[in-house]
Amino acid sequence: MTDSSAALGRERAAVADACRRLGAEGLLIGTAGNVSVRVEEQVAITATGAVLAELTADQVTVVDLDGKIMAGTLEPTSELDLHLGVYRRYGTGAVVHTHAPMATALSLVLDELPCIHYQLLALGGTVRVAPYATFGTPELARSVLAALEGRSAALMANHGAVTHAPTLDKAVEHALLLEWACGVYQHAAALGSPRVLDEQQQLAVIEAAIARNYGTTHPVPPAQEEER
């Protein structure tokens, strides 16, 4: 087995693991949704018609960046063009598409999800809603690619959500974060008009995060450690 085929085998298993996690978190139901990860010039992607919460590695197909099947016995997802388009345009490492309940609900009524919490800055801030188009069509792929400009997430009108990231784990985390933010917005909107972080507030958060290396653990300085 070559290093490349071994890597693809690991990534096929990782895609299956990610789908089962997303299913356990309630973001995937039945066969609705799709997940992929890129390994150099090839992509491991879920097969069409597979039950994602129970996915196994042999239900993950490998294609090249033109969509040609390189490994696997099942046809890839109908959203293959969308995934490949994201890889070509944004050079990302993994793509997650779900029909998550809160994200899908907000896609029915919003033109964009505003930046209501600073954690949304991890996705680029305001999350756009791509106009509706039939699933699996070039029109849908084009509208979602446009909505992802400068963002790591987009909602898909009357459909669901898509996230991408350099790694599969991070793309999954983005999907979970987006669903959480959609739920927060829904709960807030039921009580009144949600406050939105303005541009200056968002910039202040970015500056604070950079200064504090936000999101990573920090060891206690030696001097403080000695005082214990």
Side-chain angles (χ1 to χ4, degrees):
M1 180 181 291
T2 66
D3 291 343
S4 178
S5 61
L8 283 166
R10 290 191 296 270
E11 296 306 332
R12 291 174 79 183
V15 168
D17 289 343
C19 288
R20 292 195 298 271
R21 181 187 177 191
L22 289 164
E25 296 281 0
L27 272 66
L28 296 174
I29 183 169
T31 64
N34 27 80
V35 175
S36 70
V37 63
R38 179 175 177 174
V39 181
E40 297 179 351
E41 299 304 301
Q42 297 186 32
V43 173
I45 191 165
T46 50
T48 188
V51 177
L52 298 170
E54 303 171 0
L55 202 75
T56 57
D58 61 351
Q59 294 174 305
V60 179
T61 300
V62 178
V63 301
D64 65 16
L65 292 177
D66 293 321
K68 179 183 177 182
I69 295 177
M70 308 300 292
T73 60
L74 300 174
E75 288 289 331
T77 173
S78 59
E79 300 293 4
L80 178 61
D81 284 349
L82 169 59
H83 286 252
L84 296 181
V86 175
Y87 291 122
R88 293 191 199 103
R89 183 160 174 175
Y90 298 113
T92 196
V95 178
V96 171
H97 165 47
T98 75
H99 295 184
M102 283 297 163
T104 303
L106 292 194
S107 81
L108 305 177
V109 297
L110 295 182
D111 293 323
E112 64 178 24
L113 172 66
C115 190
I116 54 168
H117 193 282
Y118 63 82
Q119 283 193 297
L120 275 173
L121 293 171
L123 305 179
T126 298
V127 178
R128 305 183 187 101
V129 180
Y132 178 79
T134 305
F135 76 92
T137 61
E139 291 79 13
L140 177 63
R142 284 195 295 269
S143 69
V144 174
L145 288 175
L148 284 172
E149 187 68 42
R151 302 290 188 271
S152 297
L155 297 177
M156 305 159 71
N158 301 76
H159 187 153
V162 63
T163 60
H164 70 88
T167 67
L168 182 55
D169 284 344
K170 183 59 71 174
V172 169
E173 291 300 324
H174 283 348
L176 293 168
L177 171 58
L178 178 59
E179 181 68 356
W180 171 81
C182 288
V184 169
Y185 182 91
Q186 189 271 339
H187 290 307
L191 299 173
S193 180
R195 287 190 294 271
V196 176
L197 297 179
D198 61 30
E199 188 173 337
Q200 184 175 355
Q201 290 169 324
Q202 293 179 41
L203 180 60
V205 169
I206 293 170
E207 291 173 346
I210 293 172
R212 301 174 186 177
N213 201 15
Y214 182 78
T216 61
T217 57
H218 306 279
V220 174
Q224 294 183 28
E225 184 70 29
E226 293 173 0
E227 293 174 0
R228 291 185 176 182

